[in-house]
């Protein structure tokens, strides 16, 4: 069975058993318990319809997919959304396709409804845009939109086998095994999870008439899955983003603390800090161990500071390394990126001491990473 029913029940029991109930937290839990099962029931019915009406999607070849990995807060979103503009070559999943409609049948239905909705003046679209605008004003992490490429790790929500479920709820016992996926998840379960992921990619390429394109995904949570991923796609190309640990670790802890505060998660922040340190150490080092045994043209290691300083040249260097020709159309897109990157200023602010972290602690834990990449060991 692909869906982890036992894991879902265990998660719900642990979530309900957590102390410190508030009205806000109760509303989140009730909404999840009501809406998630209903949505998944519809989704799995549609996945069954795919096999009936679109059975040839299983013949789609996923050739030389490109996966962007790295720690959270390392620039994976920036580079993904930039490279995703190369629409002649790549196809990426948008957030609504990941969360709402990984099924071909669902996408066909929603596309038909969308045409009707535009015909009557887009009332639903205007409401959704207003909600997104309100949400964007409150999110200090990065722009979130249903119509933007996003992390396809969220596909795992549809089989209850995903890192974010335990992490975002504060049930860290359910999250930790996925932070060390290749080492901590049983082989048979790993195989089922990766097979579901593969079918979702096939469906996406089929539904978007993109069988001739390369699939492009940004997914930090693929970092601990890299061995499993490369067993599934031996010809895959990997872009591994690396950023100063003094920036990634506290930024990730701060991001999750904000999320936990938003839904009144009672888990001790010290547990989040400890998981973040262990996870980050693995997500820095494990991909490097895997990639260094592969051909040079199959991976690129990219420093965040280089990307921000000159995104256009960084992408050109990535394409050259991965032996991907750049079209004239995409070259024009790149030409406009340097000025945009220089105008970027993150709204995400944090204080190390408030997060239970220290400069010396992070520098000591990641000494080899600082030395290898020449990262500054001082906070400015």
């Amino acid at each position: 069975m692909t869906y982890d029913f036992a894991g879902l029940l265990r998660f719900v029991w642990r979530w309900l058993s957590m102390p410190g109930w508030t009205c806000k937290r109760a509303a989140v839990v009730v909404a999840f318990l009501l809406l998630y099962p209903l949505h998944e029931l519809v989704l799995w019915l549609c996945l069954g319809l795919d096999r009936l009406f679109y059975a040839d999607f299983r013949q789609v070849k996923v050739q030389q997919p490109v996966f962007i990995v790295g720690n959270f807060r390392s620039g994976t979103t920036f580079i993904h959304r930039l490279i995703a503009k190369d629409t002649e070559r790549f196809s990426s999943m948008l957030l609504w396709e990941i969360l709402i409609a990984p099924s071909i049948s669902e996408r066909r239905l929603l596309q038909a409804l969308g045409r009707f909705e535009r015909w009557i003046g887009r009332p639903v679209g205007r409401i959704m845009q207003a909600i997104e605008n309100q949400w964007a004003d409150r999110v200090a992490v990065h722009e979130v939109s249903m119509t933007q490429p996003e992390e396809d790790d969220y596909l795992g929500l549809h089989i209850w086998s995903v890192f974010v479920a335990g992490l975002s709820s504060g049930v860290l016992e359910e999250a930790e095994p996925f932070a060390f996926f290749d080492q901590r998840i049983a082989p048979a379960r790993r195989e089922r999870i990766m097979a579901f992921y593969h079918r979702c990619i096939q469906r996406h390429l089929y539904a978007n008439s993109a069988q001739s394109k390369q699939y492009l995904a940004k997914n930090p949570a693929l970092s601990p899955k890299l061995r499993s991923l490369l067993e599934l796609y031996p010809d895959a190309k990997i872009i591994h983003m690396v950023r100063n640990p003094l920036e990634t670790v506290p930024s990730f802890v701060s991001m999750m603390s904000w999320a936990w505060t938003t839904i009144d998660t009672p888990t001790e922040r010290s547990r989040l800090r400890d998981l973040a340190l262990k996870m980050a150490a693995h997500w820095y080092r494990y991909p490097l161990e895997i990639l260094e045994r592969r051909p040079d043209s199959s991976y690129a290691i990219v420093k965040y500071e280089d990307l921000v300083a000159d995104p256009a040249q960084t992408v050109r260097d990535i394409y050259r390394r991965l032996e991907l020709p750049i079209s004239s159309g995409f070259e024009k897109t790149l030409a406009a990126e340097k000025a945009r990157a220089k105008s970027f200023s993150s709204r995400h602010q944090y204080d190390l001491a408030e997060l239970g972290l220290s400069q010396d602690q992070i520098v000591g834990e990641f000494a080899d990473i600082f030395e290898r990449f020449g990262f500054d060991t001082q906070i400015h």
Side-chain angles (χ1 to χ4, degrees):
M1 172 62 71
T2 301
Y3 195 97
D4 186 10
F5 288 102
L8 175 61
L9 293 175
R10 185 177 60 245
F11 164 81
V12 170
W13 174 254
R14 284 175 167 168
W15 201 21
L16 295 176
S17 300
M18 293 169 69
W21 283 91
T22 66
C23 291
K24 184 190 296 185
R25 183 179 164 215
V28 171
V29 171
V30 169
F32 172 82
L33 294 177
L34 290 176
L35 297 179
Y36 176 75
L38 179 61
H39 172 64
E40 293 305 309
L41 177 61
V42 172
L43 169 61
W44 276 91
L45 288 173
C46 289
L47 292 175
L49 291 176
D50 288 352
R51 292 175 176 267
L52 182 61
F53 295 110
Y54 306 105
D56 51 339
F57 84 85
R58 297 168 69 92
Q59 306 306 315
V60 171
K61 303 294 184 184
V62 183
Q63 298 181 324
Q64 288 194 327
V66 175
F67 298 101
I68 300 168
V69 304
N71 270 284
F72 289 110
R73 314 299 297 144
S74 64
T76 55
T77 297
F78 188 170
I79 192 68
H80 181 214
R81 291 183 178 175
L82 178 53
I83 295 178
K85 294 178 182 179
D86 186 359
T87 55
E88 294 179 36
R89 175 177 297 279
F90 292 116
S91 181
S92 289
M93 286 194 208
L94 307 181
L95 185 56
W96 75 267
E97 295 174 320
I98 297 167
L99 292 180
I100 300 173
S103 159
I104 302 165
S105 302
E106 282 182 301
R107 293 193 193 183
R108 294 287 188 263
L109 176 60
L110 290 173
Q111 286 162 359
L113 291 174
R115 287 191 290 270
F116 174 74
E117 204 253 345
R118 286 192 295 272
W119 180 68
I120 62 174
R122 299 189 68 251
V124 176
R126 290 197 298 273
I127 292 171
M128 292 303 297
Q129 186 61 56
I131 293 172
E132 282 197 359
N133 291 341
Q134 289 291 319
W135 179 246
D137 290 340
R138 291 169 169 78
V139 176
V141 183
H142 68 249
E143 178 190 351
V144 177
S145 172
M146 284 290 182
T147 58
Q148 286 274 17
E150 198 45 86
E151 296 173 24
D152 65 2
D153 190 58
Y154 299 142
L155 290 166
L157 287 167
H158 305 308
I159 54 172
W160 202 255
S161 299
V162 63
F163 175 66
V164 72
L167 179 68
S168 60
S169 63
V171 187
L172 298 184
E173 300 90 340
E174 298 296 318
E176 188 164 357
F178 290 97
F180 304 89
F181 185 87
D182 284 340
Q183 290 76 26
R184 297 277 299 276
I185 301 296
R189 188 180 179 198
R190 286 204 311 269
E191 185 176 344
R192 291 193 297 271
I193 292 169
M194 299 309 293
F196 178 78
Y197 182 59
H198 175 62
R199 294 300 185 205
C200 287
I201 295 175
Q202 287 181 306
R203 284 180 165 93
H204 169 76
L205 296 175
Y206 182 96
N208 290 43
S209 300
Q211 292 94 324
S212 63
K213 295 184 179 182
Q214 291 172 258
Y215 181 67
L216 173 69
K218 178 270 291 198
N219 191 342
L222 281 176
S223 301
K225 297 181 180 179
L226 211 49
R227 187 179 66 214
S228 299
L229 184 70
L230 292 172
E231 288 173 356
L232 182 62
Y233 302 116
D235 63 344
K237 294 180 182 290
I238 308 296
I239 300 171
H240 179 41
M241 294 297 304
V242 291
R243 186 179 182 183
N244 192 319
L246 283 171
E247 296 171 344
T248 57
V249 175
S251 183
F252 172 71
V253 175
S254 175
M255 175 182 72
M256 292 313 307
S257 293
W258 172 85
W260 285 9
T261 299
T262 300
I263 63 172
D264 281 353
T265 297
T267 306
E268 289 292 331
R269 272 30 177 192
S270 61
R271 295 185 58 210
L272 171 62
R273 179 202 61 210
D274 294 345
L275 174 61
L277 286 167
K278 291 191 298 181
M279 182 187 80
H282 184 60
W283 290 21
Y284 273 114
R285 296 172 183 133
Y286 184 60
L288 295 174
E289 294 172 7
I290 297 289
L291 295 176
E292 288 171 347
R293 298 196 292 266
R294 291 179 56 78
D296 289 350
S297 62
S298 70
Y299 71 93
I301 299 173
V302 181
K303 292 174 67 174
Y304 173 82
E305 59 196 52
D306 294 337
L307 173 64
V308 173
D310 194 340
Q313 188 55 49
T314 300
V315 171
R316 293 187 190 103
D317 292 342
I318 291 171
Y319 272 56
R320 188 178 304 111
R321 167 87 177 189
L322 301 182
E323 299 180 350
L324 301 173
I326 297 181
S327 67
S328 58
F330 187 50
E331 181 59 52
K332 291 178 182 178
T333 299
L334 292 177
E337 285 301 317
K338 188 167 185 176
R340 190 184 73 83
K342 287 195 171 184
S343 68
F344 172 79
S345 178
S346 176
R347 295 182 297 160
H348 191 203
Q349 305 295 325
Y350 48 81
D351 179 88
L352 284 179
E354 289 182 359
L355 299 173
L357 296 165
S358 72
Q359 178 176 303
D360 290 344
Q361 177 187 26
I362 294 174
V363 171
E365 178 69 34
F366 299 94
D368 56 322
I369 301 299
F370 280 95
E371 181 179 1
R372 172 166 183 160
F373 294 103
F375 289 135
D376 193 341
T377 58
Q378 300 296 317
I379 296 175
H380 301 283

